[in-house]
Amino acid sequence: MKKRILVTGGAGFIGSHLCKRLLNEGNEVICMDNYFTGSKSNIVDLLDNPYFELVRHDVTHPYFAEVDQIYNMACPASPVHYQYNPIKTVKTSVMGAINMLGLAKRVKARVLQASTSEVYGDPHVHPQPESYWGNVNPIGLRSCYDEGKRCAETLFMDYHTSNKVDIRIIRIFNTYGPNMNPDDGRVVSNFIVQALKGEDITIYGDGTQTRSFQYVDDLVEGTIRMMNTDNFIGPVNLGNPNEFTMLELAENIIELTGTKSKIIHLPLPKDDPKQRRPDISLAKEKLGGWEPNIQLKEGLTKTIEYFSKVI
Ligand code: NAD
Ligand code: UDP
């Protein structure tokens, strides 16, 4: 059945893929964005669709629309961008959550929060199951994002418990793919852009820190399944459990692009997590056997193809 769906942060990297998929499935989509890190170019192909509506709006201000579902994706996700104005980042997560929960309460919509593996901080438990409470510095460089997202989870749970709002929480692990901003600053886009331009590939620290990289299509599939699953509110991890060091990631990108770029090492940012890998058993069990299908080399190849066109 056709639904009216609000996607906040819809002009961003993940939001744009989500809007496209939801429209393709026959829904009406309102895409709300303030274009802080997102871009109209990500959704320009959708503008001809009469069931697509684009709204310039900041999620820290209340917003009203009659909708059935809300995907709350609005928030800068790259450390460079969320640290640019840390107070605004906290406001976006916390006031954005309050505004979207208030809207969901009023119109009786189901609302899904894009939370993050950052709620686990620099984890002492590896891989990370949803039951792990995390190891987060409350006053560090990453706190505006990590604690903002943790507080948003708290708000989602409390609106659910106190006001019976129909919520879903997903914890997204490092996700990459087409429509990432070339200046995004996250590792996959940085390395690919550097490789394609023949510039030095900048590994922060010794490159032994790990991340688990998920291709965006796998995330979108898991996210939509979570939104449409009954009797399970999460939080649920959505990520690819294959774990790589940043050195391995750089080597893969060097091989796939055939670049002559050299690896250089820059200082490791403070509080940079040493390891990250999702335990996805809960997602598999609750989301109809969901698991990532696209592995690193295939996903990187598609992403390299995209960046070759846009830079
Ligand atoms: P992104 O920066 O490409 O997208 C975020 C979008 O939100 C942008 O279009 C931006 O302009 C918009 N936005 C920011 N602040 C806003 C505000 N105050 N009002 C309205 N719009 C605002 O990042 P992304 O990777 O697509 O991330 C989307 C969501 O997923 C974010 O909430 C992020 O925290 C979460 N997430 C992403 C990852 C990942 O690896 N990509 C991992 C964990 C969580
Ligand atoms: N990183 C890097 N070079 C870059 C950008 C990032 O080595 O040009 C490292 C960063 O220090 C971190 C990892 O890559 O250890 C992932 O960083 P990203 O900003 O993509 O995401 P997050 O740290 O939030 O997982």
Side-chain angles (χ1 to χ4, degrees):
M1 205 184 63
K2 191 193 270 299
K3 291 194 177 67
R4 285 163 306 176
I5 304 177
L6 170 64
V7 180
T8 76
F13 156 51
I14 297 172
S16 59
H17 287 271
L18 195 55
C19 287
K20 190 170 181 181
R21 168 90 186 259
L22 293 169
L23 282 172
N24 285 343
E25 290 179 354
N27 300 292
E28 280 181 40
V29 173
I30 302 174
C31 166
M32 178 228 280
D33 210 291
N34 71 348
Y35 305 114
F36 174 45
T37 50
S39 154
K40 271 195 186 165
S41 61
N42 283 342
I43 33 103
V44 73
D45 294 350
L46 311 179
L47 290 173
D48 286 342
N49 189 323
Y51 295 106
F52 182 71
E53 215 174 312
L54 186 56
V55 181
R56 181 186 287 265
H57 182 84
D58 192 308
V59 78
T60 60
H61 299 292
Y63 178 76
F64 302 104
E66 302 297 320
V67 292
D68 304 305
Q69 295 185 337
I70 305 165
Y71 289 87
N72 188 32
M73 315 300 291
C75 188
S78 157
V80 180
H81 295 293
Y82 71 62
Q83 287 165 23
Y84 170 75
N85 183 345
I87 298 168
K88 175 73 191 208
T89 300
V90 176
K91 285 185 180 172
T92 295
S93 274
V94 175
M95 293 165 69
I98 292 172
N99 288 331
M100 289 307 109
L101 285 160
L103 174 62
K105 183 179 167 188
R106 193 172 72 90
V107 301
K108 297 192 168 42
R110 182 173 286 179
V111 58
L112 177 143
Q113 168 66 2
S115 189
T116 168
S117 54
E118 289 289 319
V119 301
Y120 302 123
D122 193 4
H124 290 151
V125 172
H126 195 71
Q128 294 81 55
E130 290 82 353
S131 54
Y132 178 50
W133 290 356
N135 172 41
V136 176
N137 178 356
I139 53 167
L141 279 178
R142 299 173 81 99
S143 313
C144 59
Y145 184 75
D146 300 10
E147 298 289 16
K149 289 284 188 181
R150 285 168 69 96
C151 182
E153 285 200 12
T154 308
L155 285 162
F156 267 69
M157 278 300 175
D158 289 342
Y159 267 75
H160 175 68
T161 314
S162 306
N163 291 331
K164 299 196 170 46
V165 175
D166 190 11
I167 64 151
R168 299 288 181 273
I169 299 173
I170 56 170
R171 291 182 178 156
I172 304 172
F173 283 65
N174 293 64
T175 301
Y176 68 98
N179 292 6
M180 287 183 97
N181 187 331
D183 300 319
D184 181 87
R186 279 176 281 183
V187 69
V188 175
S189 45
N190 268 11
F191 285 3
I192 292 179
V193 171
Q194 290 161 347
L196 291 175
K197 289 185 170 169
E199 295 170 355
D200 290 341
I201 293 183
T202 54
I203 290 189
Y204 303 159
D206 62 7
T208 57
Q209 72 271 37
T210 68
R211 293 293 185 274
S212 304
F213 297 105
Q214 165 173 239
Y215 189 68
V216 64
D217 290 358
D218 288 326
L219 171 69
V220 168
E221 175 64 31
T223 304
I224 292 177
R225 282 197 200 192
M226 181 61 179
M227 176 64 104
N228 295 298
T229 294
D230 290 327
N231 306 317
F232 175 56
I233 62 171
V236 67
N237 289 337
L238 293 179
N240 189 320
N242 290 334
E243 187 181 357
F244 296 89
T245 65
M246 295 313 102
L247 269 170
E248 287 168 333
L249 176 70
E251 281 156 9
N252 270 290
I253 290 173
I254 289 171
E255 184 197 322
L256 291 171
T257 53
T259 185
K260 294 201 164 57
S261 295
K262 300 269 170 305
I263 289 177
I264 59 162
H265 291 266
L266 297 178
L268 188 67
K270 222 171 158 287
D271 292 345
D272 199 282
K274 283 177 268 316
Q275 53 182 4
R276 234 351 124 52
R277 172 151 57 104
D279 177 337
I280 59 164
S281 26
L282 188 64
K284 272 190 192 164
E285 180 200 326
K286 299 284 188 182
L287 305 180
W290 173 87
E291 62 182 332
N293 285 321
I294 299 173
Q295 299 312 334
L296 190 66
K297 279 206 170 152
E298 187 187 351
L300 286 178
T301 304
K302 290 172 193 269
T303 313
I304 290 166
E305 215 175 281
Y306 167 78
F307 278 113
S308 316
K309 282 190 220 132
V310 298
I311 60 171

